[in-house]
DNA sequence: TTATAAAAGTTGTATATACAACTTTTTGCG
DNA sequence: CGCAAAAAGTTGTATATACAACTTTTATAA
């Protein structure tokens, strides 16, 4: 691969599509997408976290986050009328089940990719986030 | 980062969002998204390519590709009534301008990330595509 | 304490994406 | 050739995402 043909953004987008498909498959039994499962797990780990904080951490635009959260609320996973995000009992139980699924899958993926590839992602990640993040 | 907190798919999705934003910015002057610019450049490089081929190469689902192509057609960038995808004159000129923008940006990004990070992406990419692509 | 600036969140609009189900086109074979 | 199977492409429906403009909430300074 040379500079001419190797597009950083294009490659990252493709890998994200592939990984998303793989992780989505793991959650079909729970009827959640990986994106939703991820948010559930974040809120489970940090109850009361604000949309703005998740937005910054995950680099998701605030309006996109707003809609993700609205959907989770509609699904009965979030409580109402509170400053910050809190899971309902149902949301909490689902988050725990998702975490179990995620942990097993993610460990398997780490193992299959191998330490070099995983380390490659770490290197890229650090470089990209420190140097290119406005 | 340890296995517990380091989600491969989550990280890839975040990096893809960041990179997409960066590349999108470069194309606002041409009023195209990076995704559209990428397709334009692929079709410019391979006139007559089929949706199915792009779909496989880029790992984009065929229905998503169908809609991307419809949009490009509506924008006047694709000819009609032909087997395979062909750019109109307008599409072709736009593709050339996009390629110039892309080349400069992508070189700058390669330089800013540094060879280690770029190589990290290559390693990850090869591992992920060979081992996890169904 | 209150006016206002800043931050957070929402809504309108549009693209990007996927899955399932369906239609159309292509291809192989008898 | 002409049919049947496979491949390609489309459409319905839903989520994920972004930008711009707007509203609401929060924080700060006089």
């Amino acid at each position: 691969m040379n500079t001419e043909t190797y597009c950083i953004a294009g490659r990252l987008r493709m890998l994200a599509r592939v990984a998303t498909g793989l992780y989505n498959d793991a959650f079909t039994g729970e009827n959640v997408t990986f994106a939703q499962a991820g948010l559930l797990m974040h809120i489970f780990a940090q109850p009361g976290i604000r949309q703005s904080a998740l937005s910054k951490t995950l680099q998701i635009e605030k309006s996109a986050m707003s809609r993700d959260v609205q959907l989770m609320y509609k699904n009965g996973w979030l409580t109402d009328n509170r400053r910050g995000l809190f899971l309902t009992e149902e949301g909490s139980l689902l988050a725990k089940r998702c975490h179990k699924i995620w942990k097993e899958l993610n460990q398997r993926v780490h193992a299959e990719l191998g330490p070099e590839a995983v380390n490659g992602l770490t290197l890229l990640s650090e470089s990209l986030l420190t140097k290119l993040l406005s």
Side-chain angles (χ1 to χ4, degrees), chain A:
Chain A
M1 284 190 259
N2 58 49
T3 303
E4 292 300 313
T5 59
Y6 184 10
C7 178
I8 301 293
R11 184 51 59 112
L12 274 170
R13 288 167 61 85
M14 182 179 68
L15 296 180
R17 284 189 294 268
V18 172
T20 299
L22 183 69
Y23 279 63
N24 273 340
D25 287 349
F27 291 103
T28 49
E30 293 290 353
N31 254 294
V32 294
T33 61
F34 167 66
Q36 292 168 344
L39 290 177
L40 280 169
M41 292 186 281
H42 273 278
I43 299 169
F44 184 86
Q46 292 161 271
I49 192 171
R50 287 292 201 81
Q51 290 185 34
S52 57
L54 281 175
S55 191
K56 270 163 207 146
T57 303
L58 301 176
Q59 289 293 304
I60 291 171
E61 216 273 333
K62 63 182 180 173
S63 64
M65 183 61 67
S66 174
R67 288 185 163 106
D68 291 344
V69 163
Q70 283 167 33
L71 192 51
M72 294 175 76
Y73 177 70
K74 243 183 32 183
N75 288 339
W77 304 335
L78 293 175
T79 62
D80 199 6
N81 297 332
R82 294 245 248 156
R83 185 164 103 193
L85 302 171
F86 295 89
L87 296 178
T88 58
E89 185 62 17
E90 188 190 344
S92 190
L93 294 171
L94 178 57
K96 283 181 208 169
R97 295 197 301 278
C98 286
H99 186 267
K100 185 164 179 291
I101 291 167
W102 170 77
K103 191 177 170 185
E104 284 174 19
L105 171 61
N106 203 53
Q107 281 178 352
R108 184 169 72 74
V109 169
H110 272 253
E112 288 195 32
L113 291 179
E116 291 225 357
V118 172
N119 193 52
L121 179 54
T122 306
L123 275 173
L124 174 75
S125 190
E126 281 166 3
S127 189
L128 191 89
L129 295 179
T130 59
K131 293 177 195 164
L132 297 179
L133 200 49
S134 42

